[in-house]
Amino acid sequence: MAGRYGRPRSVLRMRTVAGQVFLLQVAIVVLLVAAAIAALVLQSGTDSEREARNRSVAVAQTFASAPGLEAALKSPHPTAVLQPRAEAARKGSGVDFLVVMNTQGIRYTHPLTDRIGKKFVGDIGPALDGQVVTEKITGTIGPLVQAVVPVVGTGGKVVGLVSAGITISKVSGVVNDQFPLLFGSAAGVLLLTTGGTALVSRRLRRQTHGLGPEEMTRMYEHHDAVLHAVREGVIIVRGDGRLVLANDEARRLLDLPPDVEGRQVAELGLDPATAVLLESGRVVTDEVHPVGDRLLAVNQRSTARAGGPPGSVTTLRDTTELRALTGRADLARGRLRLLYDAGAEIGTTLDVVRTCEELARFAAERFSDIATVDLAESVLNGEEPETTGAAVAMRRTAIGGEVPEGSLYPVGEPMQFAPTTVLGTRLPAGEPVLEADLTAFSGWQRQDPERARQIVAHGIHSLIAVPLRARGAILGVVLFWRAHTPEPFDEDDLSLAEELVARAAVSLDNARRYTREHTMAVTLQRSLLPRGLPDQNAVEAAFRYLPAQAGLGGLGGVGGDWFDIIPLPGTRVALVVGDVVGHGLHAAATMGRLRTAVHNFANLDVPPDELLWHLDELVTRIDLDEGADGTGNGPKAPITGATCLYAIYDPVTGSCTMARAGHVQPLVLRPDGSAEFVEVPGGPPLGLGGMPFDTCRLELAEGSRLVLYTDGLIEDRSRAMDEGMALLGRALADRPGLTPEETCEAALEALLPDRPTDDIALLVARTRRLDAARIADWDVPADPSAVAQVRAAAVRKLIEWGLADEAFTTELILSELVTNAIRYAVGPIRVRLVHDRSLICEVADHSSTSPHLRHAASTDEGGRGLFLIAQLAERWGTRYTGDGKVIWTEQTLSDANRAPEAPADRGP
């Protein structure tokens, strides 16, 4: 068009749209290319540092998690193992150094071997806490980035550190090498874009013919139609504060008068905040402004940014309904999240009180300021909840949150809601109560008027009470209080509280039922265990039995551990400790059967290895019987696995004979304070069958303590059996003055975990020796005339002991036993009298033939000797020795004639 007047057209003064578009496009392309090159140049340094950080972290983390690294760190020579591996990893990954160090920062590896063993230069504190540390430093090889990562062991503890570093020049060199290619590519793109833009602009000029007036008018009409049809308000304000344009939607949203164009914004009657925003022209993005009863999202930009006239363009969008919907969605999402978290944090254990504490703590932190939980007394005891009623006795079980002193009832306080209050009438019926304003004293204060005034005085202003219901019964009540939160509870809060309590009630009822079943099982088990220790003078004993912690998902609860002290003939005593594998009623019942069997076998007075053999046969038969196919529909009983240690101690000789079947070794504490584990030959666990059991015999000095225990004492999830045995020995060694009771306490204090996963049986027996003055023995020749001599010697000894009243009976018993030994047995024959709690007569010979009691006919000349002995003695029997047998009798003595008794044995 400029050529019409004969003047040459200047490129910079093009007035046609096509020409201006061409110039604009060329300028934009040039600016974009220049900006891209500048950005690449500026960011190359940042990218180089980022790449160095990423590569050093990746290499350090990969090497820190490599298999065998923890074992290498704990090996005697970590450098010998780790140096070649670290160098190979360094060369393969391209980093400048890869250093492995211990938790004190001492290097185990380094590319320069003279720096091994020296302190690492850098910050390792956060890495010792399990974090990854990266830092940029300037070292001897130039600016570099190094990363330090922890090496986490199997127990979750940091056992070492790994650091990798790389110089920034090594990374940036790769980027710098690409700059010639980048500049060449940018120049090519600029040429291609400029040429393409020129072609497009030329075609546009040819097709639009310079954008004539008609075309521009039509373009304006379309623009005006679209501007007023959109559902978003548009306002254009000049730099002097005058409104240039307002479309129909803007007029509606701001309630503008018809003649707004050309008027000052301050004269439009807008609210001050909106007027100030439009006049300021500041950049705004989605800023929400209340205008009347609407919430408007405002976006504002300057019109001068693209070379236009001074001013601003503002867009308005009505978000009132959207904001309301979003608020309701956020509220619903928050409540769902709260209920989800409650399911994860409440009821983590099968413990009633612990579940109440979790509920109170969670509610106080996430829903109300204070929460209290009151449970019925029967529920606390694990029993079925009582019939619903206002008079149900409750007890405050848990409190969550900060309770002002003197306001609410403390934990442990009995609770009973008065029937004259709304709580006393609605809660027993299972209905919740909402007291939005406690200061109104609408009747709730009649429960305790004085305490009600204290509650309000301390700022507690709102209450929700929800009964804990499970299976139609009321377990208790949860009270939610608000003090610090100014908003009172409303109906939405009441529904949320009901849902929260309903979910917690299920966990609480499960815990109650588990507590009841666990109590029943423990009661059964304790009824199968000894209630006390029998009277005997061989040892002074103490014991402990601790069931596993309840609620451990099958690992806790009752088990099959047991112990026993069984008096044997001849003042001896048997010490027994056993363990049935598994937990629950089946293990407890099996333990009862095995304990009864041990008593029966002990009455036969068999040696320890033979007793374990009989017990092994019994366990095998139990497995066969319970594993056989039956007619019932129930599952088969599990295979029984059991261990046992059986020891016999003789206070006359001080000898102790022991045998074990898969059980842990006993511990002997000598009077001098030394401790040693007795190497009793290890037999297989009971029930395997076919394997013999060996015995171990040792002499115990008077005052020695024999410690028998089950593996629950020394073994735990975090402690191996060998480690536990060593800890037990260290805890009890060098403490010779401890009584059996104190020994039990010391062992439990040193080894008992906070939450035992297995039951524990512990038996400590301190040995005694029978006074030699109360023992008399004689060798008897195989001559019938020697019987009279033995009787006379026995009578003299009895008179010496003050037992003249027993002389006649003892003469008859000895006469019969010695005569039978001379007549039927094989010599030599030995007679022994023992004065203990009873008078014991023993006749030993080398014959294995055992006499038996029979009833002689009236015409028989003999056969009445043992019958006479059975009538005269309290008990009698036969026990076999390695070279024969011993026939023994016990005669009851009066309290005045008994040997002095030892101090009474005690148990927990």
Side-chain angles (χ1 to χ4, degrees):
M1 295 177 63
R4 296 177 184 177
Y5 302 99
R7 296 190 301 269
R9 184 176 354 203
S10 173
V11 174
L12 298 177
R13 300 179 62 186
M14 290 183 178
R15 301 184 61 85
T16 63
V17 174
Q20 293 177 358
V21 168
F22 171 77
L23 289 179
L24 179 61
Q25 289 176 339
V26 171
I28 290 174
V29 170
V30 172
L31 289 175
L32 288 177
V33 171
I37 294 175
L40 287 174
V41 173
L42 293 175
Q43 194 167 348
S44 62
T46 303
D47 290 343
S48 298
E49 183 176 344
R50 184 186 300 111
E51 175 63 22
R53 289 180 183 273
N54 293 339
R55 187 180 300 182
S56 60
V57 170
V59 172
Q61 287 182 332
T62 302
F63 195 85
S65 60
L69 182 57
E70 181 183 359
L73 287 171
K74 296 180 179 179
S75 64
H77 303 288
T79 299
V81 179
L82 295 174
Q83 176 68 7
R85 294 170 57 184
E87 283 301 291
R90 179 184 68 82
K91 296 175 181 179
S93 60
V95 297
D96 289 290
F97 65 86
L98 182 60
V99 175
V100 182
M101 68 196 86
N102 62 14
T103 54
Q104 285 75 39
I106 303 302
R107 299 186 183 102
Y108 287 147
T109 69
H110 196 278
L112 302 178
T113 56
D114 59 340
R115 299 188 183 181
I116 296 176
K118 296 182 179 179
K119 186 75 173 181
F120 176 76
V121 179
D123 184 14
I124 64 172
L128 293 176
D129 295 333
Q131 303 177 14
V132 176
V133 183
T134 60
E135 54 183 342
K136 181 180 178 182
I137 64 174
T138 300
T140 57
I141 57 177
L144 57 85
V145 174
Q146 65 181 13
V148 182
V149 301
V151 179
V152 181
T154 56
K157 182 179 179 182
V158 176
V159 298
L161 304 172
V162 176
S163 175
I166 186 172
T167 57
I168 297 177
S169 60
K170 180 178 290 187
V171 179
S172 62
V174 178
V175 178
N176 295 335
D177 293 340
Q178 297 179 356
F179 276 134
L181 179 61
L182 293 176
F183 283 118
S185 300
V189 170
L190 178 60
L191 291 175
L192 291 175
T193 307
T194 303
T197 303
L199 292 175
V200 171
S201 299
R202 181 178 179 183
R203 183 176 180 84
L204 178 62
R205 287 197 305 271
R206 185 171 61 250
Q207 290 181 349
T208 60
H209 301 287
L211 290 177
E214 295 181 358
E215 288 79 6
M216 292 295 294
T217 300
R218 188 160 50 248
M219 179 182 292
Y220 172 78
E221 290 175 349
H222 290 168
H223 170 268
D224 191 60
V226 172
L227 179 65
H228 293 284
V230 296
R231 299 294 296 172
E232 186 167 297
V234 179
I235 294 178
I236 299 177
V237 179
R238 289 192 321 202
D240 57 0
R242 294 185 179 275
L243 191 144
V244 177
L245 174 66
N247 69 346
D248 294 342
E249 183 66 10
R251 295 170 184 268
R252 185 184 70 84
L253 294 177
L254 298 179
D255 195 19
L256 297 175
D259 54 340
V260 293
E261 282 81 0
R263 297 176 57 181
Q264 290 287 338
V265 172
E267 301 174 358
L268 300 179
L270 300 175
D271 64 278
T274 305
V276 170
L277 174 63
L278 295 178
E279 287 181 326
S280 67
R282 63 184 177 90
V283 176
V284 171
T285 300
D286 289 334
E287 188 174 293
V288 178
H289 279 260
V291 177
D293 57 352
R294 296 187 179 94
L295 286 175
L296 303 183
V298 181
N299 289 274
Q300 185 167 277
R301 296 293 184 272
S302 173
T303 57
R305 295 174 59 188
S312 63
V313 56
T314 306
T315 60
L316 310 171
R317 185 173 65 256
D318 191 354
T319 62
T320 305
E321 295 181 359
L322 180 60
R323 178 55 60 92
L325 291 175
T326 303
R328 288 194 294 269
D330 291 341
L331 179 61
R333 185 164 48 251
R335 295 193 170 190
L336 287 176
R337 182 66 184 179
L338 184 142
L339 294 175
Y340 174 80
D341 293 342
E345 298 182 25
I346 300 174
T348 59
T349 64
L350 290 174
D351 183 83
V352 173
V353 176
R354 179 75 176 274
T355 302
C356 292
E357 292 172 349
E358 292 173 346
L359 171 59
R361 182 177 62 254
F362 180 86
E365 293 175 354
R366 301 285 298 275
F367 177 63
S368 63
D369 299 324
I370 304 170
T372 62
V373 182
D374 306 323
L375 288 186
E377 293 281 2
S378 57
V379 175
L380 281 172
N381 297 328
E383 303 170 2
E384 289 289 340
E386 300 175 358
T387 305
T388 300
V392 174
M394 296 186 184
R395 187 172 297 275
R396 179 137 296 172
T397 308
I399 295 179
E402 297 183 4
V403 179
E405 184 177 356
S407 57
L408 304 181
Y409 291 109
V411 172
E413 187 76 13
M415 297 289 297
Q416 192 167 355
F417 293 103
T420 58
T421 64
V422 65
L423 296 176
T425 56
R426 298 184 62 181
L427 291 178
E431 301 176 1
V433 175
L434 169 61
E435 290 285 350
D437 184 9
L438 295 178
T439 60
F441 293 107
S442 59
W444 65 275
Q445 76 279 2
R446 286 193 291 268
Q447 174 73 27
D448 189 338
E450 179 60 29
R451 192 171 293 274
R453 286 191 291 272
Q454 291 291 330
I455 289 174
V456 173
H458 284 93
I460 302 176
H461 59 83
S462 192
L463 165 68
I464 288 180
V466 181
L468 278 161
R469 291 181 297 176
R471 298 181 293 111
I474 303 297
L475 307 180
V477 61
V478 183
L479 303 177
F480 303 98
W481 312 81
R482 275 191 176 168
H484 309 299
T485 304
E487 296 81 8
F489 289 118
D490 55 20
E491 292 295 334
D492 291 337
D493 294 324
L494 178 61
S495 63
L496 179 60
E498 288 185 278
E499 181 66 24
L500 176 62
V501 172
R503 298 193 178 199
V506 175
S507 299
L508 189 60
D509 190 53
N510 289 339
R512 179 198 62 79
R513 297 175 68 181
Y514 178 85
T515 300
R516 181 187 62 181
E517 295 174 3
H518 181 262
T519 302
M520 294 172 56
V522 170
T523 302
L524 170 63
Q525 185 185 36
R526 290 192 179 276
S527 68
L528 298 174
L529 289 170
R531 300 294 181 90
L533 299 179
D535 295 334
Q536 45 80 36
N537 279 344
V539 295
E540 177 190 355
F543 65 89
R544 293 291 186 274
Y545 173 77
L546 300 175
Q549 179 68 43
L552 296 179
L555 294 178
V558 298
D561 291 13
W562 90 91
F563 63 92
D564 254 318
I565 293 183
I566 306 172
L568 298 177
T571 69
R572 297 169 303 139
V573 66
L575 307 174
V576 190
V577 171
D579 183 4
V580 176
V581 177
H583 298 269
L585 292 178
H586 180 266
T590 303
M591 175 269 291
R593 298 170 71 176
L594 295 183
R595 179 171 177 255
T596 302
V598 170
H599 272 267
N600 293 334
F601 293 141
N603 287 334
L604 298 177
D605 208 354
V606 296
D609 55 339
E610 186 176 343
L611 183 140
L612 291 182
W613 182 83
H614 287 296
L615 205 61
D616 181 66
E617 290 289 316
L618 174 64
V619 174
T620 301
R621 288 197 299 272
I622 291 175
D623 287 341
L624 291 176
D625 293 342
E626 295 183 346
D629 292 335
T631 57
N633 296 325
K636 295 181 180 179
I639 299 299
T640 301
T643 64
C644 183
L645 173 66
Y646 187 83
I648 297 178
Y649 173 69
D650 188 348
V652 176
T653 62
S655 65
C656 182
T657 306
M658 291 181 280
R660 66 187 182 101
H663 204 77
V664 290
Q665 300 280 14
L667 176 65
V668 172
L669 305 174
R670 304 288 184 182
D672 60 0
S674 61
E676 64 172 317
F677 288 94
V678 183
E679 294 297 330
V680 181
L686 300 175
L688 296 183
M691 299 292 290
F693 299 96
D694 296 329
T695 59
C696 170
R697 187 177 184 276
L698 68 157
E699 299 293 330
L700 295 179
E702 185 173 8
S704 299
R705 286 167 292 164
L706 187 61
V707 182
L708 309 181
Y709 52 92
T710 56
D711 58 359
L713 177 65
I714 59 174
E715 191 175 23
D716 191 43
R717 291 176 177 175
S718 59
R719 183 175 60 216
M721 183 176 295
D722 293 342
E723 181 184 352
M725 293 178 65
L727 180 59
L728 176 63
R730 291 194 300 269
L732 301 182
D734 300 325
R735 305 175 73 178
L738 295 183
T739 65
E741 280 288 332
E742 293 169 342
T743 304
C744 288
E745 291 298 328
L748 294 179
E749 181 181 356
L751 287 97
L752 184 65
D754 294 334
R755 297 178 64 82
T757 59
D758 194 7
D759 46 348
I760 298 172
L762 173 63
L763 178 62
V764 178
R766 181 162 60 185
T767 61
R768 299 191 181 105
R769 296 294 288 269
L770 197 62
D771 188 358
R774 295 186 176 276
I775 304 171
D777 55 1
W778 303 274
D779 292 326
V780 181
D783 183 357
S785 63
V787 176
Q789 300 174 6
V790 172
R791 289 201 307 266
V795 170
R796 289 193 298 270
K797 181 57 69 174
L798 292 177
I799 294 174
E800 179 185 337
W801 288 343
L803 303 178
D805 294 341
E806 306 296 331
F808 178 73
T809 302
T810 305
E811 280 189 281
L812 292 178
I813 292 174
L814 284 177
S815 179
E816 179 62 31
L817 293 180
V818 174
T819 300
N820 283 346
I822 293 174
R823 180 178 301 176
Y824 302 110
V826 178
I829 301 171
R830 189 171 184 82
V831 174
R832 185 171 72 168
L833 291 181
V834 180
H835 180 201
D836 193 40
R837 293 174 179 266
S838 60
L839 179 60
I840 302 170
C841 300
E842 296 180 345
V843 178
D845 58 56
H846 283 205
S847 173
S848 60
T849 303
S850 175
H852 61 279
L853 181 66
R854 67 184 182 88
H855 294 278
S858 59
T859 57
D860 291 342
E861 294 183 1
R864 298 177 177 84
L866 288 181
F867 179 78
L868 177 63
I869 290 174
Q871 298 300 316
L872 296 175
E874 180 71 19
R875 294 195 306 157
W876 74 278
T878 304
R879 72 173 181 269
Y880 292 94
T881 62
D883 55 359
K885 69 177 184 296
V886 175
I887 302 177
W888 56 269
T889 65
E890 288 187 7
Q891 298 168 242
T892 304
L893 300 178
S894 63
D895 294 340
N897 292 331
R898 290 184 178 182
E901 295 185 2
D905 298 323
R906 297 176 295 167

